[in-house]
Short mmCIF file of all heavy atoms in Angstrom, two decimals:
data_model
loop_
_atom_site.label_atom_id
_atom_site.label_comp_id
_atom_site.label_asym_id
_atom_site.label_seq_id
_atom_site.Cartn_x
_atom_site.Cartn_y
_atom_site.Cartn_z
N ILE A 1179 -36.91 130.17 84.57
CA ILE A 1179 -38.32 130.24 84.97
C ILE A 1179 -39.10 130.88 83.82
O ILE A 1179 -38.78 131.99 83.39
CB ILE A 1179 -38.48 131.06 86.25
CG1 ILE A 1179 -37.62 130.48 87.37
CG2 ILE A 1179 -39.95 131.10 86.69
CD1 ILE A 1179 -37.49 131.37 88.59
N CYS A 1180 -40.11 130.16 83.32
CA CYS A 1180 -40.87 130.64 82.18
C CYS A 1180 -42.37 130.46 82.44
O CYS A 1180 -42.77 129.88 83.45
CB CYS A 1180 -40.45 129.92 80.91
SG CYS A 1180 -40.59 128.13 81.04
N GLU A 1181 -43.19 130.93 81.50
CA GLU A 1181 -44.64 130.91 81.70
C GLU A 1181 -45.25 129.54 81.49
O GLU A 1181 -46.04 129.06 82.30
CB GLU A 1181 -45.31 131.93 80.77
CG GLU A 1181 -44.96 133.38 81.09
CD GLU A 1181 -45.75 134.34 80.22
OE1 GLU A 1181 -46.90 134.01 79.87
OE2 GLU A 1181 -45.22 135.43 79.90
N GLY A 1182 -44.95 128.87 80.36
CA GLY A 1182 -45.66 127.66 80.00
C GLY A 1182 -44.77 126.49 79.66
O GLY A 1182 -43.54 126.61 79.56
N ILE A 1183 -45.41 125.34 79.42
CA ILE A 1183 -44.67 124.09 79.19
C ILE A 1183 -43.89 124.11 77.89
O ILE A 1183 -42.78 123.58 77.83
CB ILE A 1183 -45.66 122.89 79.23
CG1 ILE A 1183 -44.89 121.57 79.23
CG2 ILE A 1183 -46.66 122.96 78.10
CD1 ILE A 1183 -44.21 121.26 80.52
N SER A 1184 -44.42 124.74 76.83
CA SER A 1184 -43.70 124.74 75.55
C SER A 1184 -42.40 125.54 75.66
O SER A 1184 -41.37 125.16 75.09
CB SER A 1184 -44.58 125.30 74.43
OG SER A 1184 -44.90 126.66 74.66
N GLN A 1185 -42.43 126.66 76.41
CA GLN A 1185 -41.21 127.43 76.63
C GLN A 1185 -40.19 126.62 77.44
O GLN A 1185 -38.99 126.65 77.17
CB GLN A 1185 -41.51 128.75 77.36
CG GLN A 1185 -42.36 129.72 76.56
CD GLN A 1185 -43.81 129.66 76.95
OE1 GLN A 1185 -44.39 128.58 77.02
NE2 GLN A 1185 -44.42 130.81 77.20
N ALA A 1186 -40.69 125.89 78.43
CA ALA A 1186 -39.80 125.08 79.27
C ALA A 1186 -39.12 123.99 78.45
O ALA A 1186 -37.92 123.71 78.63
CB ALA A 1186 -40.59 124.47 80.43
N TRP A 1187 -39.87 123.34 77.55
CA TRP A 1187 -39.26 122.33 76.69
C TRP A 1187 -38.14 122.92 75.85
O TRP A 1187 -37.06 122.36 75.74
CB TRP A 1187 -40.32 121.73 75.76
CG TRP A 1187 -41.28 120.78 76.41
CD1 TRP A 1187 -41.04 119.98 77.49
CD2 TRP A 1187 -42.63 120.54 76.00
NE1 TRP A 1187 -42.16 119.24 77.79
CE2 TRP A 1187 -43.16 119.56 76.89
CE3 TRP A 1187 -43.45 121.03 74.99
CZ2 TRP A 1187 -44.45 119.08 76.78
CZ3 TRP A 1187 -44.74 120.55 74.88
CH2 TRP A 1187 -45.24 119.59 75.76
N ALA A 1188 -38.40 124.09 75.24
CA ALA A 1188 -37.42 124.74 74.36
C ALA A 1188 -36.15 125.11 75.13
O ALA A 1188 -35.03 124.90 74.66
CB ALA A 1188 -38.03 125.98 73.72
N ILE A 1189 -36.34 125.63 76.34
CA ILE A 1189 -35.19 126.04 77.16
C ILE A 1189 -34.36 124.83 77.57
O ILE A 1189 -33.13 124.83 77.48
CB ILE A 1189 -35.68 126.81 78.41
CG1 ILE A 1189 -36.27 128.16 78.00
CG2 ILE A 1189 -34.54 127.01 79.41
CD1 ILE A 1189 -37.04 128.85 79.11
N ASN A 1190 -35.03 123.79 78.05
CA ASN A 1190 -34.33 122.59 78.51
C ASN A 1190 -33.54 121.94 77.37
O ASN A 1190 -32.39 121.51 77.55
CB ASN A 1190 -35.34 121.61 79.10
CG ASN A 1190 -34.70 120.30 79.54
OD1 ASN A 1190 -34.98 119.24 78.98
ND2 ASN A 1190 -33.86 120.36 80.55
N PHE A 1191 -34.13 121.88 76.18
CA PHE A 1191 -33.46 121.28 75.03
C PHE A 1191 -32.26 122.11 74.59
O PHE A 1191 -31.22 121.58 74.21
CB PHE A 1191 -34.45 121.12 73.87
CG PHE A 1191 -33.92 120.30 72.73
CD1 PHE A 1191 -33.84 118.92 72.82
CD2 PHE A 1191 -33.47 120.91 71.56
CE1 PHE A 1191 -33.33 118.16 71.76
CE2 PHE A 1191 -32.96 120.17 70.51
CZ PHE A 1191 -32.89 118.79 70.60
N ALA A 1192 -32.39 123.44 74.68
CA ALA A 1192 -31.32 124.34 74.20
C ALA A 1192 -30.16 124.44 75.18
O ALA A 1192 -29.02 124.68 74.78
CB ALA A 1192 -31.89 125.73 73.92
N THR A 1193 -30.43 124.30 76.48
CA THR A 1193 -29.39 124.55 77.50
C THR A 1193 -29.02 123.32 78.31
O THR A 1193 -27.94 123.29 78.92
CB THR A 1193 -29.87 125.64 78.48
OG1 THR A 1193 -31.00 125.14 79.22
CG2 THR A 1193 -30.26 126.91 77.75
N GLY A 1194 -29.90 122.33 78.38
CA GLY A 1194 -29.67 121.19 79.25
C GLY A 1194 -29.98 121.47 80.70
O GLY A 1194 -29.84 120.61 81.57
N CYS A 1195 -30.40 122.70 80.98
CA CYS A 1195 -30.73 123.09 82.36
C CYS A 1195 -32.22 122.90 82.64
O CYS A 1195 -33.03 122.81 81.72
CB CYS A 1195 -30.37 124.56 82.59
SG CYS A 1195 -28.62 124.92 82.40
N ALA A 1196 -32.56 122.87 83.92
CA ALA A 1196 -33.95 122.76 84.31
C ALA A 1196 -34.70 124.03 83.96
O ALA A 1196 -34.16 125.13 84.06
CB ALA A 1196 -34.06 122.49 85.81
N ALA A 1197 -35.96 123.85 83.53
CA ALA A 1197 -36.84 124.99 83.25
C ALA A 1197 -38.12 124.79 84.05
O ALA A 1197 -38.72 123.71 84.00
CB ALA A 1197 -37.14 125.09 81.76
N VAL A 1198 -38.52 125.80 84.78
CA VAL A 1198 -39.68 125.71 85.67
C VAL A 1198 -40.86 126.44 85.05
O VAL A 1198 -40.75 127.61 84.66
CB VAL A 1198 -39.35 126.30 87.05
CG1 VAL A 1198 -40.61 126.42 87.90
CG2 VAL A 1198 -38.33 125.42 87.76
N VAL A 1199 -42.00 125.75 84.96
CA VAL A 1199 -43.23 126.34 84.46
C VAL A 1199 -43.95 127.01 85.63
O VAL A 1199 -44.26 126.36 86.63
CB VAL A 1199 -44.15 125.26 83.84
CG1 VAL A 1199 -45.44 125.89 83.33
CG2 VAL A 1199 -43.42 124.51 82.74
N CYS A 1200 -44.20 128.32 85.52
CA CYS A 1200 -44.86 129.03 86.61
C CYS A 1200 -46.35 129.24 86.36
O CYS A 1200 -47.05 129.78 87.21
CB CYS A 1200 -44.17 130.37 86.89
SG CYS A 1200 -44.31 131.55 85.54
N PHE A 1201 -46.84 128.83 85.18
CA PHE A 1201 -48.26 128.91 84.83
C PHE A 1201 -48.78 130.35 84.80
O PHE A 1201 -49.74 130.70 85.47
CB PHE A 1201 -49.11 128.08 85.80
CG PHE A 1201 -48.79 126.61 85.80
CD1 PHE A 1201 -47.97 126.06 86.77
CD2 PHE A 1201 -49.29 125.78 84.81
CE1 PHE A 1201 -47.65 124.71 86.77
CE2 PHE A 1201 -48.99 124.41 84.80
CZ PHE A 1201 -48.17 123.88 85.78
N GLY A 1202 -48.11 131.21 84.04
CA GLY A 1202 -48.60 132.57 83.86
C GLY A 1202 -47.59 133.63 84.25
O GLY A 1202 -46.85 133.47 85.23
N ALA A 1203 -47.55 134.71 83.47
CA ALA A 1203 -46.58 135.79 83.70
C ALA A 1203 -46.71 136.41 85.08
O ALA A 1203 -45.72 136.79 85.71
CB ALA A 1203 -46.75 136.86 82.63
N GLY A 1204 -47.95 136.52 85.58
CA GLY A 1204 -48.16 137.16 86.88
C GLY A 1204 -47.60 136.38 88.04
O GLY A 1204 -47.47 136.91 89.15
N ARG A 1205 -47.25 135.08 87.81
CA ARG A 1205 -46.74 134.24 88.90
C ARG A 1205 -45.22 134.08 88.85
O ARG A 1205 -44.64 133.39 89.68
CB ARG A 1205 -47.40 132.86 88.85
CG ARG A 1205 -48.91 132.88 88.93
CD ARG A 1205 -49.50 131.48 89.11
NE ARG A 1205 -49.19 130.97 90.43
CZ ARG A 1205 -48.30 130.01 90.68
NH1 ARG A 1205 -47.62 129.46 89.68
NH2 ARG A 1205 -48.08 129.60 91.91
N MET A 1206 -44.57 134.71 87.87
CA MET A 1206 -43.14 134.49 87.68
C MET A 1206 -42.32 134.91 88.90
O MET A 1206 -41.46 134.17 89.38
CB MET A 1206 -42.67 135.23 86.43
CG MET A 1206 -41.29 134.82 85.96
SD MET A 1206 -40.89 135.47 84.30
CE MET A 1206 -41.78 134.31 83.27
N ALA A 1207 -42.59 136.11 89.43
CA ALA A 1207 -41.84 136.60 90.59
C ALA A 1207 -42.12 135.75 91.83
O ALA A 1207 -41.22 135.45 92.62
CB ALA A 1207 -42.19 138.06 90.86
N LYS A 1208 -43.38 135.34 92.00
CA LYS A 1208 -43.76 134.52 93.16
C LYS A 1208 -43.01 133.19 93.14
O LYS A 1208 -42.47 132.75 94.16
CB LYS A 1208 -45.27 134.29 93.16
CG LYS A 1208 -45.77 133.49 94.35
CD LYS A 1208 -47.29 133.38 94.31
CE LYS A 1208 -47.81 132.65 95.56
NZ LYS A 1208 -49.28 132.57 95.57
N VAL A 1209 -42.99 132.53 91.99
CA VAL A 1209 -42.31 131.25 91.87
C VAL A 1209 -40.80 131.43 92.06
O VAL A 1209 -40.14 130.61 92.71
CB VAL A 1209 -42.63 130.59 90.52
CG1 VAL A 1209 -41.75 129.36 90.28
CG2 VAL A 1209 -44.10 130.18 90.47
N ALA A 1210 -40.24 132.50 91.52
CA ALA A 1210 -38.80 132.77 91.68
C ALA A 1210 -38.44 132.92 93.15
O ALA A 1210 -37.40 132.42 93.61
CB ALA A 1210 -38.41 134.02 90.90
N LYS A 1211 -39.29 133.60 93.89
CA LYS A 1211 -39.05 133.80 95.33
C LYS A 1211 -39.05 132.47 96.06
O LYS A 1211 -38.24 132.23 96.96
CB LYS A 1211 -40.13 134.73 95.90
CG LYS A 1211 -39.84 135.22 97.30
CD LYS A 1211 -40.88 136.25 97.72
CE LYS A 1211 -40.56 136.79 99.11
NZ LYS A 1211 -41.57 137.80 99.52
N ILE A 1212 -39.97 131.58 95.68
CA ILE A 1212 -40.05 130.25 96.32
C ILE A 1212 -38.81 129.43 95.97
O ILE A 1212 -38.19 128.80 96.85
CB ILE A 1212 -41.33 129.53 95.87
CG1 ILE A 1212 -42.56 130.27 96.38
CG2 ILE A 1212 -41.35 128.08 96.36
CD1 ILE A 1212 -43.85 129.88 95.70
N LEU A 1213 -38.44 129.42 94.69
CA LEU A 1213 -37.27 128.64 94.25
C LEU A 1213 -35.98 129.15 94.88
O LEU A 1213 -35.06 128.38 95.14
CB LEU A 1213 -37.16 128.69 92.72
CG LEU A 1213 -38.25 127.97 91.93
CD1 LEU A 1213 -38.10 128.26 90.45
CD2 LEU A 1213 -38.21 126.48 92.18
N LYS A 1214 -35.92 130.44 95.12
CA LYS A 1214 -34.73 131.03 95.72
C LYS A 1214 -34.49 130.45 97.11
O LYS A 1214 -33.35 130.28 97.55
CB LYS A 1214 -34.89 132.56 95.80
CG LYS A 1214 -33.59 133.31 96.06
CD LYS A 1214 -33.80 134.79 95.92
CE LYS A 1214 -32.48 135.52 96.15
NZ LYS A 1214 -32.64 136.99 96.05
N THR A 1215 -35.59 130.13 97.80
CA THR A 1215 -35.49 129.52 99.13
C THR A 1215 -35.25 128.02 99.04
O THR A 1215 -34.41 127.46 99.75
CB THR A 1215 -36.78 129.80 99.92
OG1 THR A 1215 -36.98 131.20 100.02
CG2 THR A 1215 -36.70 129.21 101.32
N GLU A 1216 -36.01 127.36 98.15
CA GLU A 1216 -35.93 125.90 98.06
C GLU A 1216 -34.64 125.40 97.43
O GLU A 1216 -34.17 124.31 97.73
CB GLU A 1216 -37.13 125.38 97.27
CG GLU A 1216 -38.46 125.58 98.00
CD GLU A 1216 -39.64 124.99 97.24
OE1 GLU A 1216 -39.44 124.52 96.10
OE2 GLU A 1216 -40.75 125.01 97.80
N TYR A 1217 -34.06 126.19 96.51
CA TYR A 1217 -32.81 125.80 95.84
C TYR A 1217 -31.77 126.89 96.07
O TYR A 1217 -31.31 127.55 95.14
CB TYR A 1217 -33.06 125.57 94.34
CG TYR A 1217 -34.02 124.43 94.08
CD1 TYR A 1217 -35.38 124.69 93.86
CD2 TYR A 1217 -33.60 123.11 94.07
CE1 TYR A 1217 -36.27 123.65 93.63
CE2 TYR A 1217 -34.49 122.07 93.85
CZ TYR A 1217 -35.83 122.34 93.63
OH TYR A 1217 -36.71 121.32 93.42
N PHE A 1218 -31.44 127.07 97.33
CA PHE A 1218 -30.52 128.13 97.74
C PHE A 1218 -29.18 127.98 97.02
O PHE A 1218 -28.59 126.91 96.99
CB PHE A 1218 -30.30 128.07 99.25
CG PHE A 1218 -29.39 129.14 99.77
CD1 PHE A 1218 -29.85 130.44 99.93
CD2 PHE A 1218 -28.07 128.87 100.09
CE1 PHE A 1218 -29.01 131.44 100.41
CE2 PHE A 1218 -27.23 129.86 100.56
CZ PHE A 1218 -27.71 131.14 100.72
N GLY A 1219 -28.70 129.06 96.44
CA GLY A 1219 -27.41 129.06 95.75
C GLY A 1219 -27.51 128.85 94.26
O GLY A 1219 -26.55 129.11 93.53
N ALA A 1220 -28.67 128.37 93.77
CA ALA A 1220 -28.83 128.18 92.32
C ALA A 1220 -29.01 129.54 91.63
O ALA A 1220 -29.57 130.47 92.21
CB ALA A 1220 -30.04 127.29 92.04
N ILE A 1221 -28.53 129.64 90.40
CA ILE A 1221 -28.72 130.86 89.61
C ILE A 1221 -30.10 130.80 88.98
O ILE A 1221 -30.42 129.87 88.24
CB ILE A 1221 -27.64 130.97 88.52
CG1 ILE A 1221 -26.24 131.05 89.16
CG2 ILE A 1221 -27.89 132.18 87.62
CD1 ILE A 1221 -25.11 130.96 88.15
N LEU A 1222 -30.93 131.79 89.27
CA LEU A 1222 -32.29 131.84 88.74
C LEU A 1222 -32.36 132.85 87.60
O LEU A 1222 -31.84 133.97 87.72
CB LEU A 1222 -33.28 132.23 89.84
CG LEU A 1222 -33.33 131.32 91.08
CD1 LEU A 1222 -34.41 131.80 92.03
CD2 LEU A 1222 -33.57 129.88 90.69
N ILE A 1223 -33.02 132.46 86.51
CA ILE A 1223 -33.10 133.31 85.32
C ILE A 1223 -34.55 133.38 84.86
O ILE A 1223 -35.15 132.35 84.53
CB ILE A 1223 -32.23 132.76 84.17
CG1 ILE A 1223 -30.80 132.53 84.67
CG2 ILE A 1223 -32.25 133.69 82.98
CD1 ILE A 1223 -30.03 131.52 83.87
N LEU A 1224 -35.12 134.57 84.86
CA LEU A 1224 -36.49 134.76 84.40
C LEU A 1224 -36.51 134.91 82.89
O LEU A 1224 -35.71 135.66 82.32
CB LEU A 1224 -37.10 136.01 85.05
CG LEU A 1224 -37.01 136.11 86.58
CD1 LEU A 1224 -37.73 137.37 87.06
CD2 LEU A 1224 -37.58 134.89 87.25
N VAL A 1225 -37.45 134.21 82.23
CA VAL A 1225 -37.52 134.23 80.77
C VAL A 1225 -38.94 134.67 80.37
O VAL A 1225 -39.83 133.85 80.20
CB VAL A 1225 -37.21 132.86 80.16
CG1 VAL A 1225 -37.12 132.96 78.64
CG2 VAL A 1225 -35.91 132.30 80.72
N PRO A 1226 -39.16 135.97 80.22
CA PRO A 1226 -40.51 136.46 79.88
C PRO A 1226 -40.80 136.38 78.38
O PRO A 1226 -39.88 136.36 77.56
CB PRO A 1226 -40.46 137.92 80.34
CG PRO A 1226 -39.03 138.31 80.11
CD PRO A 1226 -38.20 137.08 80.41
N ASP A 1227 -42.08 136.34 78.05
CA ASP A 1227 -42.49 136.51 76.66
C ASP A 1227 -42.24 137.96 76.26
O ASP A 1227 -42.14 138.85 77.12
CB ASP A 1227 -43.97 136.18 76.48
CG ASP A 1227 -44.28 134.71 76.70
OD1 ASP A 1227 -43.32 133.93 76.91
OD2 ASP A 1227 -45.46 134.33 76.66
N ARG A 1228 -42.16 138.22 74.97
CA ARG A 1228 -41.91 139.58 74.49
C ARG A 1228 -43.06 140.50 74.93
O ARG A 1228 -44.24 140.14 74.85
CB ARG A 1228 -41.84 139.56 72.96
CG ARG A 1228 -41.40 140.89 72.35
CD ARG A 1228 -39.96 141.21 72.67
NE ARG A 1228 -39.74 142.66 72.63
CZ ARG A 1228 -38.75 143.27 73.26
NH1 ARG A 1228 -37.92 142.58 74.00
NH2 ARG A 1228 -38.62 144.56 73.19
N GLY A 1229 -42.72 141.67 75.45
CA GLY A 1229 -43.71 142.63 75.92
C GLY A 1229 -43.82 142.69 77.43
O GLY A 1229 -44.46 143.59 77.98
N ARG A 1230 -43.17 141.72 78.12
CA ARG A 1230 -43.25 141.69 79.59
C ARG A 1230 -41.93 142.14 80.23
O ARG A 1230 -41.77 142.06 81.44
CB ARG A 1230 -43.55 140.26 80.06
CG ARG A 1230 -44.85 139.68 79.55
CD ARG A 1230 -46.04 140.26 80.25
NE ARG A 1230 -45.93 140.15 81.71
CZ ARG A 1230 -46.81 140.66 82.55
NH1 ARG A 1230 -47.84 141.35 82.09
NH2 ARG A 1230 -46.66 140.52 83.84
N GLU A 1231 -40.99 142.65 79.43
CA GLU A 1231 -39.65 142.94 79.94
C GLU A 1231 -39.64 143.96 81.07
O GLU A 1231 -38.90 143.81 82.05
CB GLU A 1231 -38.75 143.45 78.79
CG GLU A 1231 -38.47 142.43 77.72
CD GLU A 1231 -39.58 142.32 76.69
OE1 GLU A 1231 -40.55 143.13 76.76
OE2 GLU A 1231 -39.50 141.44 75.83
N ILE A 1232 -40.46 145.01 80.94
CA ILE A 1232 -40.41 146.10 81.93
C ILE A 1232 -40.79 145.60 83.32
O ILE A 1232 -40.23 146.00 84.33
CB ILE A 1232 -41.33 147.26 81.50
CG1 ILE A 1232 -41.16 148.45 82.46
CG2 ILE A 1232 -42.79 146.82 81.42
CD1 ILE A 1232 -41.85 149.70 81.97
N TYR A 1233 -41.74 144.66 83.37
CA TYR A 1233 -42.17 144.11 84.66
C TYR A 1233 -41.16 143.11 85.20
O TYR A 1233 -40.84 143.11 86.39
CB TYR A 1233 -43.54 143.45 84.52
CG TYR A 1233 -44.58 144.35 83.90
CD1 TYR A 1233 -45.07 144.10 82.62
CD2 TYR A 1233 -45.06 145.46 84.59
CE1 TYR A 1233 -46.01 144.94 82.04
CE2 TYR A 1233 -46.00 146.30 84.01
CZ TYR A 1233 -46.48 146.03 82.74
OH TYR A 1233 -47.40 146.86 82.18
N VAL A 1234 -40.65 142.26 84.32
CA VAL A 1234 -39.70 141.23 84.74
C VAL A 1234 -38.38 141.85 85.19
O VAL A 1234 -37.77 141.40 86.16
CB VAL A 1234 -39.49 140.20 83.61
CG1 VAL A 1234 -38.33 139.27 83.94
CG2 VAL A 1234 -40.76 139.38 83.41
N ALA A 1235 -37.93 142.91 84.51
CA ALA A 1235 -36.69 143.58 84.91
C ALA A 1235 -36.81 144.13 86.33
O ALA A 1235 -35.89 144.04 87.13
CB ALA A 1235 -36.36 144.70 83.93
N GLU A 1236 -37.98 144.69 86.64
CA GLU A 1236 -38.21 145.22 87.97
C GLU A 1236 -38.23 144.11 89.01
O GLU A 1236 -37.63 144.22 90.08
CB GLU A 1236 -39.54 145.98 87.99
CG GLU A 1236 -39.85 146.65 89.32
CD GLU A 1236 -41.17 147.41 89.29
OE1 GLU A 1236 -41.69 147.67 88.19
OE2 GLU A 1236 -41.67 147.71 90.38
N ASP A 1237 -38.90 142.99 88.68
CA ASP A 1237 -38.95 141.85 89.60
C ASP A 1237 -37.55 141.27 89.82
O ASP A 1237 -37.19 140.91 90.94
CB ASP A 1237 -39.87 140.76 89.05
CG ASP A 1237 -41.34 141.16 89.08
OD1 ASP A 1237 -41.69 142.02 89.91
OD2 ASP A 1237 -42.12 140.62 88.28
N ALA A 1238 -36.79 141.16 88.72
CA ALA A 1238 -35.44 140.60 88.82
C ALA A 1238 -34.55 141.44 89.73
O ALA A 1238 -33.78 140.91 90.53
CB ALA A 1238 -34.81 140.49 87.43
N LYS A 1239 -34.71 142.75 89.64
CA LYS A 1239 -33.91 143.65 90.48
C LYS A 1239 -34.27 143.48 91.95
O LYS A 1239 -33.39 143.41 92.82
CB LYS A 1239 -34.14 145.10 90.04
CG LYS A 1239 -33.28 146.10 90.79
CD LYS A 1239 -33.49 147.51 90.27
CE LYS A 1239 -32.62 148.52 91.01
NZ LYS A 1239 -32.83 149.89 90.52
N LYS A 1240 -35.57 143.38 92.23
CA LYS A 1240 -36.01 143.22 93.62
C LYS A 1240 -35.54 141.90 94.21
O LYS A 1240 -35.17 141.82 95.38
CB LYS A 1240 -37.53 143.31 93.70
CG LYS A 1240 -38.11 144.69 93.46
CD LYS A 1240 -39.63 144.67 93.51
CE LYS A 1240 -40.21 146.03 93.22
NZ LYS A 1240 -41.70 146.00 93.18
#
Side-chain angles (χ1 to χ4, degrees):
I1179 303 168
C1180 56
E1181 294 185 32
I1183 189 73
S1184 64
Q1185 295 99 311
W1187 286 331
I1189 292 168
N1190 177 246
F1191 190 76
T1193 66
C1195 298
V1198 170
V1199 179
C1200 66
F1201 299 98
R1205 303 190 69 253
M1206 193 169 281
K1208 182 177 184 178
V1209 171
K1211 191 174 182 180
I1212 295 164
L1213 292 173
K1214 195 172 182 181
T1215 302
E1216 293 183 355
Y1217 297 96
F1218 181 77
I1221 298 171
L1222 302 183
I1223 307 156
L1224 308 183
V1225 187
D1227 292 357
R1228 188 68 206 157
R1230 300 285 307 176
E1231 294 82 5
I1232 186 171
Y1233 307 110
V1234 170
E1236 183 179 344
D1237 290 336
K1239 184 177 181 181
K1240 289 178 182 176

